[in-house]
Amino acid sequence: MLILHILLSILVVYSAYMFILVLSGLLYRPKRSGNFQLPRIKLLLPAYKPDARFSQVLEQLKMVTEGQSAEVFILFQYADLKYYELADELDFEYEIKAFDHLNGNSYQHALRYLAAEHLPEGSCDYVMILDKDNLMAADFFQELKKIDLSGFDLVQSVRRPLETAHGLQVFDALSERLNDLMLRAGKCFWGGPAELSGSAALIKTDIFKDCIKQLDPKAPGFDKNFMVNLLTSYPSLRTEFSKNLVVYEEKTATVQNYDGQRLRWFGEQYYNAFYKAGKLLGSVLKGNLKCLDYWVSLARPPRIVLFAMSFLLAAIDLWDSMPGILSIPFVLNYLTFLMVAFPYLDQIKMLDLIKGGLSVLRSNVYHSLTSLKSKHLGTFIHTR
């Protein structure tokens, strides 16, 4: 009975936490006015084994940045000759580099190199990392000019799917929308910091370089460890999330890529929840409550597990009697799902969703439990 009460308490707390933030995210309306002059921006592309989509990425970048105060730099790693030729044709600056001779997280090595060698003092005001599959919307910079960037240290754009034809792509799109509403728009609604996504965030150059230097080489990723450094080093950090700044990305359609992504993401999440708890909670003792919220966010169980367990408790509740306290997490999670899934309801087939959900549940449980094995620490799992 004690175990059931502990489980119910965890489910209620995190289900309510998720519901409140998603609802807040839907209500969030950032202020936009005027037509502001853009600062100097550098777009960095650490392109590891770019595939066919990368040609479209570069061509779109050329069109979008034309006439804007934005420079593009590409760090090629194991790319085909045709991409070098295309970069030359489009007049993009680039370098060919490899980091496989170095131990540890290859993505961190690339970012450290970019920060040290290609962001000299005074060269730009803001930096944005773009993944090799990120397509900037044609109106990205027009929308960016509506934001007074002088009031923010970090502005996170929204990442939307290029397509959602496959079941896993729909799941991935739903997960991304949940993150945007819960971890970014929802937190901004309450005056908190928008959590950094893996790419497409505009960050002040000096802050970016400082937090890159602080990255923990054992962390099996980048963005969450970077966020820990941001929050603990810059307690007055000013952030914004904009759903009008759109970057399209390719959502995974294969289980192999999905598994690799989740292993990396869970490893990054729970590594920082466990190994950086002291750093985050130490900052809380100094009055930085944002770090407490971030640790609570990092420590949450996989959300598909929360949904599954809340369904199980509701079933027990119905079997035993009329709906009661055990059904509270299920009701909250069901409402949260409806708010998140609304734009995709016409694409969701319930039988496929249930089958896909069971597959995702197995994958997420396994990878969340194994993500902190020593062999995964200090590595970066590249996916396509």
Side-chain angles (χ1 to χ4, degrees), residues 96-137:
I96 303 168
K97 189 79 175 172
F99 301 95
D100 55 352
H101 62 289
L102 300 174
N103 293 325
N105 189 318
S106 60
Y107 193 66
Q108 283 195 24
H109 288 315
L111 294 180
R112 289 179 191 277
Y113 181 79
L114 286 167
E117 301 297 329
H118 293 282
L119 293 175
E121 192 71 29
S123 61
C124 60
D125 302 302
Y126 286 84
V127 178
M128 178 181 282
I129 297 289
L130 289 174
D131 288 340
K132 61 189 177 185
D133 65 342
N134 288 169
L135 281 168
M136 299 186 86

Side-chain angles (χ1 to χ4, degrees), residues 226-277:
F226 189 94
M227 192 73 192
V228 168
N229 297 334
L230 272 175
L231 293 178
T232 53
S233 299
Y234 300 91
S236 301
L237 186 75
R238 303 164 302 166
T239 70
E240 173 69 295
F241 171 70
S242 174
K243 66 178 182 179
N244 294 325
L245 296 176
V246 180
V247 172
Y248 296 95
E249 65 175 3
E250 201 163 19
K251 293 299 183 184
T252 183
T254 67
V255 174
Q256 292 80 4
N257 270 347
Y258 183 89
D259 286 346
Q261 282 182 347
R262 268 46 190 185
L263 181 57
R264 185 180 75 224
W265 292 350
F266 283 129
E268 176 74 353
Q269 178 182 336
Y270 294 124
Y271 179 88
N272 286 282
F274 183 76
Y275 290 102
K276 300 303 172 184

Side-chain angles (χ1 to χ4, degrees), residues 145-164:
K145 289 176 182 176
K146 297 177 183 179
I147 302 174
D148 183 4
L149 290 176
S150 65
F152 300 106
D153 303 306
L154 182 152
V155 176
Q156 176 67 57
S157 60
V158 63
R159 302 189 303 182
R160 291 183 180 163
L162 280 166
E163 58 181 354
T164 52

Side-chain angles (χ1 to χ4, degrees), residues 15-312:
S15 297
Y17 181 77
M18 187 160 53
F19 171 78
I20 291 169
L21 284 177
V22 168
L23 179 59
S24 302
L26 289 172
L27 297 174
Y28 181 60
R29 297 291 183 273
K31 295 179 181 179
R32 289 183 183 82
S33 61
N35 184 21
F36 299 98
Q37 184 175 352
L38 287 180
R40 297 167 301 165
I41 299 169
K42 193 147 191 177
L43 305 173
L44 301 176
L45 285 79
Y48 180 86
K49 294 184 178 179
D51 52 22
R53 179 73 66 183
F54 197 62
S55 295
Q56 186 182 359
V57 169
L58 294 186
E59 289 165 356
Q60 181 77 355
L61 266 177
K62 184 65 176 180
M63 181 192 74
V64 173
T65 58
E66 197 73 41
Q68 307 293 341
S69 57
E71 296 181 0
V72 175
F73 182 83
I74 308 161
L75 184 62
F76 281 116
Q77 301 167 72
Y78 307 106
D80 292 339
L81 176 62
K82 62 182 178 181
Y83 297 122
Y84 308 147
E85 294 174 342
L86 179 58
D88 283 327
E89 181 184 328
L90 297 174
D91 199 28
F92 286 150
E93 187 182 357
Y94 67 87
E95 184 175 351
I96 303 168
K97 189 79 175 172
F99 301 95
D100 55 352
H101 62 289
L102 300 174
N103 293 325
N105 189 318
S106 60
Y107 193 66
Q108 283 195 24
H109 288 315
L111 294 180
R112 289 179 191 277
Y113 181 79
L114 286 167
E117 301 297 329
H118 293 282
L119 293 175
E121 192 71 29
S123 61
C124 60
D125 302 302
Y126 286 84
V127 178
M128 178 181 282
I129 297 289
L130 289 174
D131 288 340
K132 61 189 177 185
D133 65 342
N134 288 169
L135 281 168
M136 299 186 86
D139 64 347
F140 187 93
F141 285 102
Q142 283 67 41
E143 290 295 331
L144 188 59
K145 289 176 182 176
K146 297 177 183 179
I147 302 174
D148 183 4
L149 290 176
S150 65
F152 300 106
D153 303 306
L154 182 152
V155 176
Q156 176 67 57
S157 60
V158 63
R159 302 189 303 182
R160 291 183 180 163
L162 280 166
E163 58 181 354
T164 52
H166 191 276
L168 275 178
Q169 290 175 326
V170 174
F171 264 101
D172 224 356
L174 289 176
S175 179
E176 189 73 38
R177 177 169 160 78
L178 175 56
N179 286 336
D180 284 339
L181 290 172
M182 175 183 172
L183 305 178
R184 294 182 254 285
K187 295 200 174 186
C188 286
F189 179 86
W190 294 102
E195 290 191 17
L196 184 71
S197 187
S199 64
L202 203 69
I203 308 171
K204 273 192 171 179
T205 304
D206 55 344
I207 294 178
F208 176 83
K209 292 176 68 175
D210 181 41
C211 291
I212 287 293
K213 287 179 183 177
Q214 295 183 56
L215 285 177
D216 184 342
K218 290 186 178 180
F222 148 66
D223 55 317
K224 290 179 173 58
N225 191 237
F226 189 94
M227 192 73 192
V228 168
N229 297 334
L230 272 175
L231 293 178
T232 53
S233 299
Y234 300 91
S236 301
L237 186 75
R238 303 164 302 166
T239 70
E240 173 69 295
F241 171 70
S242 174
K243 66 178 182 179
N244 294 325
L245 296 176
V246 180
V247 172
Y248 296 95
E249 65 175 3
E250 201 163 19
K251 293 299 183 184
T252 183
T254 67
V255 174
Q256 292 80 4
N257 270 347
Y258 183 89
D259 286 346
Q261 282 182 347
R262 268 46 190 185
L263 181 57
R264 185 180 75 224
W265 292 350
F266 283 129
E268 176 74 353
Q269 178 182 336
Y270 294 124
Y271 179 88
N272 286 282
F274 183 76
Y275 290 102
K276 300 303 172 184
K279 186 174 184 179
L280 287 168
L281 298 180
S283 189
V284 173
L285 295 177
K286 299 176 183 177
N288 188 355
L289 295 180
K290 297 173 184 177
C291 290
L292 176 60
D293 174 68
Y294 191 56
W295 183 82
V296 170
S297 180
L298 289 173
R300 70 181 183 273
R303 287 172 301 209
I304 189 70
V305 174
L306 290 176
F307 276 86
M309 293 305 298
S310 65
F311 178 83
L312 179 61

